[in-house]
Amino acid sequence: MDELPGPAALGATIRRYVSVDRRHLELLHGNIQRRRVGPVERTAFLRELIADSERVDDQELAALLGHGSGWRERLVAAWMAGTGGHTRQRQRIGELLIGSRQTYAGQGYCFALACFGTPADAQILCAYLDQYLRQPDLYYDQHWAIGALLDVDTQLGSDYAERFTAPDGLWQQWTRDKSPEYLEAQKDHVAGLRALVEEARQADPAGTDQRTVRLPAGWVPIPEHDRAVFEAEVVTEVSSDLKPSHPLAGRPLMAVAHCSQRDHVLFVVAEEPIRWALVELSWSGKPEPGIQPHWDFFASPETAAAGLREHM
């Protein structure tokens, strides 16, 4: 069995994959599907999630799904597992879903199983529904599970859900809303989230992810001839020799703007898809202790601009 990362490395994994753009809030309840924002920002958010789902490895996912993690870490990890096709996490995701020991995280497990979309995933969802539809006093993730199972049936041309949704079946006994339209809505919710991810995957990054961030008052663009000073300072403070687990270590960064006090600097992270890092520099000229310097990642120009305004 692979050794799981220690507390410091786990913290860095959480900050890299979970804290960026407060990602868990967009994924919770599938909020990204109903956000009152334009498609450009939504696509940028999902492209960043897709990029991280391809970047994350099984050890990091296992840590985020581990015994010491909370619902936020597990929700995001499940979405990344499903989006990135990390089927090696299927057993762990199934165990966590059946255990149902945390609120909200089960939504992500159901989404991941729908993304995997195999008979093995349908069987896990069936096991969950067999157990929790027999307990009418428990209102857990039954809606997500039945929606995911119906979605898997659509993908496979199977009928795993039929024994639950048949007249007088367990679903009919558990829920107050017995209409076929309600079941269809549950399936469409899960299928719609998968479709949004696939649409973002196919989107033209040049049309959805621009390098330009609209700077709010108090922020100053950095001329090209001055960028090297800021870039050298962040490299010094984030010493890759001492802190290889720091999320900024080893990443190519380009300084684009600073606040009026010059202690906070906005960098473009030269990766695909493009994202931004707001870094708090001490200007000490030496590596900082612990996990310093502090940073925030942003997935889109809109969220980056909002972060700059909040700082000011």
Side-chain angles (χ1 to χ4, degrees), residues 22 26 28 39 68 75 86 105 110 123 125 144 155 279 283 310:
R22 304 180 73 187
E26 302 295 343
L28 180 64
L75 176 68
H86 295 274
C110 293
Q123 290 164 9
L125 292 164
W144 279 84
Q155 297 177 60
V279 185
W283 295 101
E310 183 177 347

Side-chain angles (χ1 to χ4, degrees), residues 225-277:
H225 62 270
D226 286 340
R227 289 174 182 167
V229 175
F230 293 88
E231 293 160 7
E233 178 62 22
V234 76
V235 169
T236 299
E237 294 189 26
V238 183
S239 172
S240 58
D241 293 333
L242 299 178
K243 296 178 291 186
S245 63
H246 194 290
L248 296 175
R251 290 194 174 195
L253 303 173
M254 181 177 71
V256 294
H258 66 79
C259 69
S260 54
Q261 290 79 29
R262 294 168 59 94
D263 56 347
H264 282 73
V265 182
L266 181 67
F267 292 87
V268 168
V269 182
E271 294 180 345
E272 286 297 335
I274 299 165
R275 68 173 167 184
W276 292 261

Side-chain angles (χ1 to χ4, degrees), residues 148-180:
L149 185 58
L150 287 165
D151 182 36
V152 172
D153 273 344
T154 299
Q155 297 177 60
L156 297 177
S158 54
D159 57 359
Y160 287 99
E162 185 174 351
R163 65 188 178 92
F164 300 108
T165 60
D168 298 324
L170 287 177
W171 177 261
Q172 300 290 318
Q173 297 172 33
W174 180 79
T175 186
R176 294 179 180 179
D177 193 328
K178 307 178 188 302
S179 67

Side-chain angles (χ1 to χ4, degrees), residues 36 42 57 80 113 128 140 190 210 212 222 239 289 297:
R36 295 184 178 179
R42 182 170 58 211
D57 59 35
M80 289 197 298
L113 295 171
Y128 175 86
Y140 286 176
V190 177
Q210 304 297 321
T212 303
I222 299 175
S239 172
F297 281 140

Side-chain angles (χ1 to χ4, degrees), residues 4-273:
L4 295 180
L10 176 58
T13 301
I14 292 172
R15 289 186 292 272
R16 182 171 187 177
Y17 295 114
V18 182
S19 301
V20 56
D21 278 359
R22 304 180 73 187
R23 177 176 282 166
H24 65 282
L25 294 180
E26 302 295 343
L27 303 181
L28 180 64
H29 308 312
N31 287 334
I32 189 66
Q33 192 177 39
R34 300 183 293 269
R35 292 181 73 203
R36 295 184 178 179
V37 298
V40 170
E41 183 178 357
R42 182 170 58 211
T43 299
F45 174 90
L46 289 172
R47 284 183 60 81
E48 177 66 11
L49 178 71
I50 292 165
D52 279 346
S53 75
E54 295 170 350
R55 183 181 299 120
V56 69
D57 59 35
D58 281 311
Q59 186 178 29
E60 291 172 314
L61 284 173
L64 293 174
L65 294 168
H67 294 291
S69 59
W71 69 265
R72 297 168 181 81
E73 293 81 26
R74 292 181 178 180
L75 176 68
V76 173
W79 267 76
M80 289 197 298
T83 300
H86 295 274
T87 55
R88 290 180 60 182
Q89 303 302 322
R90 176 185 289 115
Q91 180 178 350
R92 176 59 176 163
I93 286 172
E95 292 170 352
L96 291 171
L97 178 62
I98 301 298
S100 288
R101 298 188 180 278
Q102 288 182 330
T103 58
Y104 305 133
Q107 303 173 9
Y109 309 148
C110 293
F111 175 77
L113 295 171
C115 288
F116 297 157
T118 72
D121 306 295
Q123 290 164 9
I124 293 172
L125 292 164
C126 285
Y128 175 86
L129 291 168
D130 261 325
Q131 178 170 337
Y132 288 100
L133 289 181
R134 299 178 190 275
Q135 304 182 61
D137 56 322
L138 297 183
Y139 192 86
Y140 286 176
D141 296 299
Q142 291 92 330
H143 298 85
W144 279 84
I146 195 69
L149 185 58
L150 287 165
D151 182 36
V152 172
D153 273 344
T154 299
Q155 297 177 60
L156 297 177
S158 54
D159 57 359
Y160 287 99
E162 185 174 351
R163 65 188 178 92
F164 300 108
T165 60
D168 298 324
L170 287 177
W171 177 261
Q172 300 290 318
Q173 297 172 33
W174 180 79
T175 186
R176 294 179 180 179
D177 193 328
K178 307 178 188 302
S179 67
E181 293 78 13
Y182 187 77
L183 278 172
E184 191 70 15
Q186 302 312 304
K187 182 190 76 171
D188 289 347
H189 184 46
V190 177
L193 290 169
R194 286 197 309 105
L196 282 177
V197 171
E198 290 310 308
E199 289 171 10
R201 198 189 305 274
Q202 300 301 321
D204 177 9
T208 60
D209 202 3
Q210 304 297 321
R211 288 185 181 271
T212 303
V213 174
R214 182 172 296 178
L215 299 178
W219 283 85
V220 181
I222 299 175
E224 185 173 355
H225 62 270
D226 286 340
R227 289 174 182 167
V229 175
F230 293 88
E231 293 160 7
E233 178 62 22
V234 76
V235 169
T236 299
E237 294 189 26
V238 183
S239 172
S240 58
D241 293 333
L242 299 178
K243 296 178 291 186
S245 63
H246 194 290
L248 296 175
R251 290 194 174 195
L253 303 173
M254 181 177 71
V256 294
H258 66 79
C259 69
S260 54
Q261 290 79 29
R262 294 168 59 94
D263 56 347
H264 282 73
V265 182
L266 181 67
F267 292 87
V268 168
V269 182
E271 294 180 345
E272 286 297 335

